[in-house]
Amino acid sequence: MNGLQEKGIPRDVVLKELKTRLGKDLTYDSGRILGSMCTSPHPFAKQVYAHFFEKNLGDPGLFTANAEIEREAVQMLGSLLSHPKAVGHIVSGGTEANILAMWMARNLHNNRCNEIVAPESVHLSFEKAADLLNLKLVKVKLDDNFRMDLEDASRKLSDKTCALVGVAGTTGLGVVDPIAELSELSLTHNVTLHVDAAFGGFVLPFLRELGYDVPDFDFTQLGVSSMTIDAHKMGLAPIPAGGILFRDESMMKAVSKRVSYLAGGETEQTTLVGTRPGASCLAVWALLKHMGRQGYRNIIKRCMQMTLKLASGIEQIDGLRLVTRPTLNIVGIKSEGSSTELLAQTLRRRGWAIALFPGHIRIVVMPHVTAAHIDVFLEDLNDAVKKLKSRKGT
Amino acid sequence: MNGLQEKGIPRDVVLKELKTRLGKDLTYDSGRILGSMCTSPHPFAKQVYAHFFEKNLGDPGLFTANAEIEREAVQMLGSLLSHPKAVGHIVSGGTEANILAMWMARNLHNNRCNEIVAPESVHLSFEKAADLLNLKLVKVKLDDNFRMDLEDASRKLSDKTCALVGVAGTTGLGVVDPIAELSELSLTHNVTLHVDAAFGGFVLPFLRELGYDVPDFDFTQLGVSSMTIDAHKMGLAPIPAGGILFRDESMMKAVSKRVSYLAGGETEQTTLVGTRPGASCLAVWALLKHMGRQGYRNIIKRCMQMTLKLASGIEQIDGLRLVTRPTLNIVGIKSEGSSTELLAQTLRRRGWAIALFPGHIRIVVMPHVTAAHIDVFLEDLNDAVKKLKSRKGT
């Protein structure tokens, strides 16, 4: 019965089956999803997206206003990263963005080099990029603060390097690599520097406005050639809405393909994908306009308050400790007595969707996480730790 | 004024601006878009998509029912291509699907080979794949019927070949390469055969059911390892909904990456992108259930009738001819007297979004194209040809 059936089924029957079956899925508003970098999109962004399903930016000549609005959305993202003249696209996600950046770096160096130098904390998408692009991913060790170690980075840069990657908000702990120093290094060694701010790009600018001490991490640093910033993470846009920004047009050209046969006429395509949803760009644009800096700042402020509440709660639990003070709305938890992996398994059995990294549990305090959710989690966490301890004791 | 502003703007104001500006875009229901392989998605598919914006299949452990439904959608696509046990994914589009197939082929051959052998008519996405994957795209000439020339293909296969590509519904003319013979060739030479049925996958099976003479083009041919079939083209699903199918699990593993840190627990990721919309898979599943073979067959029947109406209209215009008899709902038009390029420019100035290929104009008779649209187009086309002729005469 798995094939496509001869006769169709009425809409209401299909929708009912879908809703019943999808009841098994977790939801963000249950408060149980504590380890994801995605969240429930903003209602306004969903409303906008749902209006414009027919738009296809793979053929921008048909949808010229949509394409213009995408450029404005990119400029707004650029302004968030201190470079309103940035060029780029709203893409399928951080992975496409990071691949595009690595592809650009490789092609700009005319394939003469074959290494990406990146911190151990770099996202999986760089492993994909390296495999795809036939590049070697050379990993740099982290310093005591879980940031890319500059001395080791220096040592690993060579004639073979085509791209240096820094992360502004690592996947595991949300820490920010020393981008200013990496920028210097990249200029000295004449390699392309890409900053992966897929998560941090929508957080750090607002933390700075809120008075937090935020290191330089964006296009203010002259070595930075490209940046990833995902609207579908802390930007609250519906998936798919990643973002790739290049400092200038010439960089983007290194990956562009001429498409001559489109219904809307010739175009220069610089995304990995061809056909792509215009609606997702419209949703990003509309949401940025609707929220303004103020709107995002308020959300980030609340997320950070929740993060600090969670962090201090963790510190009060005997047998747990923070891996490091949170930089963003990400908390790393280590078990001191029993194994962290065992604790993670226990929490999952208790219905918590937390993320497990080598040696620590990650909580991402997304906008869907409330103070009440944190209280329930801390209580259950405390109980789980106690039970594990007593079990160990027996 | 291009930056992200401090203060947000009310929803209704943003939406109003958006709608006003987007008035410039072309629409499918105007009948002016005659050269695109996309169309207005089915209302039911849009409705389903809009219900489930929060689903993220980049973290399938959170959305296990959604992931299960994706597998069922893939099986339904597989059944359409004579292989209900196919594995794969609903991906961002045909380009991601084709890149995944080429990536798989390269990795399966352990990078020992570096050539893709494909017809001259192959889609641009293979140029992207070749560039990305550091492969050489070796193009095979076409025979008199615009299908891959088998002798030339044979000559171009070598120890260096890792993938042979056939197209079931070429971008330019909608013709189907001799897949059965390519399958033989691929088995003899031990290379991976990928069939790009991005467009034809949702047309050919139904044409066969309607009694059209359709050559073998799918998994019935034992050499076929993978196929692209896009639900967001003739499948009427909202973008993004490409499809990549592999004959078996082991092939898919060649591109898979272990992701250990997700909130939903460990997973094996075999898509190019990471975070991806679950809603798009749900929309495909729901639409396939709702339409059944019957629903699609009716649509394809109508599209082919319109195609034949258009084709016979073209043949009646003095100075125009068909490039070839249409196999699918795609018509290639050549100007006999004046240049085809000039005719295309004229048609575009008259507001027709037609596609221009080297030497011919392409019309895709998508479901949004009505008999009335075709009448208006034929009349205007006739007029344009006459004017060009008389201008040439003066």
Side-chain angles (χ1 to χ4, degrees):
Chain A
M1 281 300 285
N2 289 331
L4 179 59
Q5 299 303 300
E6 169 60 18
K7 278 186 72 72
I9 298 169
R11 296 182 192 199
D12 54 338
V13 178
V14 175
L15 204 52
K16 200 177 155 199
E17 181 183 343
L18 209 49
K19 284 183 177 172
T20 307
R21 291 181 60 182
L22 290 170
K24 276 207 304 188
D25 285 353
L26 288 179
T27 61
Y28 293 111
D29 61 16
S30 70
R32 290 280 157 173
I33 302 181
L34 291 178
S36 172
M37 283 184 163
C38 285
T39 187
S40 200
H42 191 287
F44 182 52
K46 294 197 280 188
Q47 183 194 350
V48 170
Y49 199 118
H51 259 103
F52 303 110
F53 276 115
E54 80 168 43
K55 308 284 186 189
N56 167 22
L57 282 181
D59 198 343
L62 300 179
F63 307 103
T64 51
N66 196 152
E68 192 179 288
I69 288 169
E70 184 190 22
R71 283 190 292 277
E72 291 180 11
V74 165
Q75 286 163 356
M76 285 192 275
L77 295 181
S79 78
L80 204 52
L81 303 175
S82 312
H83 188 44
K85 287 187 177 161
V87 293
H89 288 291
I90 308 297
V91 292
S92 59
T95 297
E96 182 179 355
N98 288 334
I99 292 172
L100 282 167
M102 294 303 97
W103 192 13
M104 181 270 290
R106 191 200 68 183
N107 284 11
L108 271 184
H109 289 83
N110 294 315
N111 289 301
R112 276 190 309 265
C113 56
N114 65 346
E115 291 184 358
I116 301 170
V117 173
E120 278 173 5
S121 54
V122 85
H123 184 251
L124 176 81
S125 51
F126 291 91
E127 314 244 3
K128 277 191 187 171
D131 181 357
L132 265 173
L133 295 160
N134 252 350
L135 298 172
K136 192 177 156 199
L137 184 57
V138 178
K139 292 211 179 163
V140 175
K141 69 177 189 187
L142 305 183
D143 65 18
D144 293 344
N145 297 309
F146 307 95
R147 303 170 356 137
M148 196 170 182
D149 184 279
L150 285 166
E151 264 182 49
D152 196 37
S154 236
R155 261 194 305 274
K156 280 170 178 162
L157 286 169
S158 76
D159 287 353
K160 289 187 259 171
T161 314
C162 55
L164 176 63
V165 177
V167 187
T170 57
T171 312
L173 291 166
V175 302
V176 181
D177 283 327
I179 305 298
E181 291 80 359
L182 292 175
S183 170
E184 289 298 321
L185 265 184
S186 75
L187 294 170
T188 314
H189 286 79
N190 193 27
V191 299
T192 300
L193 174 60
H194 173 69
V195 175
D196 180 2
F199 188 82
F202 261 97
V203 183
L204 292 163
F206 303 112
L207 285 182
R208 184 176 284 158
E209 290 174 5
L210 288 164
Y212 285 78
D213 184 27
V214 170
D216 288 326
F217 75 100
D218 64 12
F219 284 109
T220 52
Q221 307 308 298
L222 294 179
V224 176
S225 296
S226 54
M227 292 188 74
T228 293
I229 171 172
D230 285 357
H232 65 206
K233 292 189 170 89
M234 283 298 290
L236 305 182
I239 301 165
I244 177 68
L245 304 186
F246 294 105
R247 183 178 288 275
D248 65 53
E249 197 82 27
S250 68
M251 290 168 180
M252 199 160 74
K253 293 260 184 217
V255 298
S256 81
K257 302 279 170 215
R258 187 120 214 102
V259 197
S260 57
Y261 64 79
L262 295 169
E266 274 206 351
T267 189
E268 197 83 42
Q269 201 170 76
T270 49
T271 51
L272 199 67
V273 307
T275 295
R276 61 194 178 95
S280 104
C281 305
L282 299 175
V284 170
W285 183 91
L287 190 56
L288 288 169
K289 290 279 182 188
H290 172 58
M291 298 280 281
R293 287 181 177 264
Q294 206 172 42
Y296 280 112
R297 200 161 56 233
N298 288 339
I299 286 173
I300 306 300
K301 185 179 174 183
R302 206 184 131 277
C303 286
M304 277 311 283
Q305 283 167 349
M306 295 295 130
T307 304
L308 299 177
K309 173 184 164 75
L310 174 65
S312 84
I314 302 289
E315 283 180 317
Q316 282 160 39
I317 296 176
D318 196 32
L320 291 187
R321 65 177 183 83
L322 298 177
V323 180
T324 179
R325 295 294 313 160
T327 310
L328 306 178
N329 44 330
I330 295 178
V331 180
I333 310 173
K334 258 182 126 61
S335 179
E336 288 199 303
S338 55
S339 96
T340 301
E341 288 69 24
L342 195 61
L343 176 60
Q345 281 165 22
T346 308
L347 290 172
R348 282 183 176 159
R349 263 200 308 274
R350 289 174 177 226
W352 297 104
I354 45 82
L356 177 63
F357 281 73
H360 77 270
I361 289 165
R362 177 193 75 176
I363 307 293
V364 192
V365 186
M366 294 301 288
H368 63 264
V369 180
T370 66
H373 294 149
I374 290 178
D375 287 335
V376 178
F377 176 65
L378 281 171
E379 202 175 313
D380 207 38
L381 180 62
N382 199 357
D383 187 65
V385 172
K386 264 192 206 146
K387 293 237 166 77
L388 283 176
K389 235 191 271 182
S390 70
R391 203 196 300 171
K392 214 183 158 196
T394 60
Chain B
M1 279 298 287
N2 289 331
L4 177 60
Q5 300 301 300
E6 170 60 19
K7 276 186 76 71
I9 298 168
R11 296 182 191 198
D12 55 337
V13 178
V14 175
L15 204 52
K16 200 178 155 198
E17 181 182 342
L18 208 49
K19 286 183 175 174
T20 307
R21 290 180 60 182
L22 290 170
K24 276 208 303 188
D25 285 353
L26 287 178
T27 60
Y28 294 110
D29 61 15
S30 70
R32 289 280 157 172
I33 301 181
L34 291 178
S36 173
M37 284 184 163
C38 286
T39 187
S40 199
H42 191 287
F44 182 52
K46 294 196 281 186
Q47 185 195 347
V48 170
Y49 199 118
H51 259 103
F52 302 110
F53 276 115
E54 81 169 43
K55 308 284 186 189
N56 167 23
L57 281 182
D59 198 344
L62 300 179
F63 307 103
T64 52
N66 195 153
E68 193 180 287
I69 287 169
E70 183 190 23
R71 282 190 292 276
E72 291 181 12
V74 165
Q75 285 164 357
M76 286 193 273
L77 295 181
S79 78
L80 205 53
L81 303 174
S82 312
H83 188 45
K85 287 186 177 162
V87 293
H89 289 288
I90 308 297
V91 293
S92 60
T95 297
E96 182 179 355
N98 289 333
I99 292 172
L100 283 166
M102 295 302 97
W103 192 14
M104 182 270 289
R106 191 199 67 184
N107 285 12
L108 271 183
H109 289 84
N110 293 316
N111 289 299
R112 276 190 309 265
C113 56
N114 66 345
E115 290 184 357
I116 301 170
V117 173
E120 277 173 6
S121 54
V122 84
H123 184 250
L124 175 83
S125 50
F126 292 90
E127 313 244 3
K128 276 190 188 173
D131 182 357
L132 264 173
L133 295 160
N134 252 350
L135 298 172
K136 193 178 157 198
L137 183 58
V138 178
K139 292 211 179 163
V140 175
K141 69 177 187 188
L142 304 184
D143 66 17
D144 292 344
N145 297 310
F146 307 96
R147 301 167 3 133
M148 197 169 182
D149 185 278
L150 285 166
E151 265 182 47
D152 197 38
S154 240
R155 261 194 305 275
K156 281 173 177 159
L157 286 169
S158 76
D159 288 354
K160 288 187 260 171
T161 314
C162 54
L164 175 63
V165 178
V167 187
T170 57
T171 313
L173 291 167
V175 301
V176 181
D177 283 327
I179 305 298
E181 292 80 359
L182 293 175
S183 170
E184 289 299 321
L185 265 184
S186 75
L187 293 170
T188 314
H189 286 80
N190 193 27
V191 298
T192 300
L193 174 60
H194 173 69
V195 176
D196 180 2
F199 188 82
F202 261 97
V203 183
L204 293 163
F206 304 111
L207 285 182
R208 183 176 286 158
E209 290 174 5
L210 288 163
Y212 285 78
D213 183 28
V214 170
D216 289 327
F217 76 100
D218 63 13
F219 284 109
T220 52
Q221 307 307 299
L222 294 179
V224 176
S225 297
S226 54
M227 292 188 74
T228 293
I229 173 171
D230 285 356
H232 66 205
K233 292 188 170 88
M234 284 298 291
L236 305 182
I239 301 164
I244 177 71
L245 304 185
F246 295 104
R247 185 179 286 275
D248 65 51
E249 197 83 26
S250 69
M251 290 168 180
M252 198 161 73
K253 295 258 184 218
V255 298
S256 81
K257 301 280 171 213
R258 188 121 213 101
V259 197
S260 57
Y261 64 80
L262 295 168
E266 271 205 355
T267 189
E268 197 84 40
Q269 200 169 78
T270 50
T271 52
L272 199 68
V273 306
T275 296
R276 62 194 179 94
S280 105
C281 305
L282 300 175
V284 170
W285 182 91
L287 191 57
L288 288 169
K289 290 277 182 191
H290 172 58
M291 299 280 281
R293 286 180 178 266
Q294 206 172 43
Y296 280 111
R297 201 161 56 233
N298 289 339
I299 286 173
I300 306 300
K301 186 178 175 185
R302 206 185 131 277
C303 286
M304 276 312 282
Q305 283 167 349
M306 295 295 132
T307 302
L308 299 177
K309 174 185 163 74
L310 173 65
S312 84
I314 302 288
E315 283 178 318
Q316 282 160 40
I317 295 176
D318 195 33
L320 290 187
R321 65 176 185 84
L322 297 177
V323 180
T324 182
R325 296 291 316 157
T327 310
L328 307 178
N329 46 329
I330 295 178
V331 179
I333 310 172
K334 257 181 126 61
S335 179
E336 288 199 304
S338 55
S339 96
T340 302
E341 289 69 25
L342 196 60
L343 177 59
Q345 281 165 24
T346 308
L347 290 172
R348 281 182 177 161
R349 263 200 308 273
R350 288 172 178 229
W352 297 103
I354 44 82
L356 178 63
F357 281 72
H360 78 269
I361 289 166
R362 177 193 74 178
I363 306 292
V364 192
V365 186
M366 294 299 290
H368 64 265
V369 180
T370 66
H373 293 149
I374 290 178
D375 287 336
V376 178
F377 176 64
L378 281 171
E379 201 175 314
D380 208 38
L381 181 61
N382 199 357
D383 187 66
V385 172
K386 264 193 206 145
K387 291 238 166 79
L388 283 175
K389 237 192 268 182
S390 69
R391 205 196 298 171
K392 215 181 159 199
T394 59

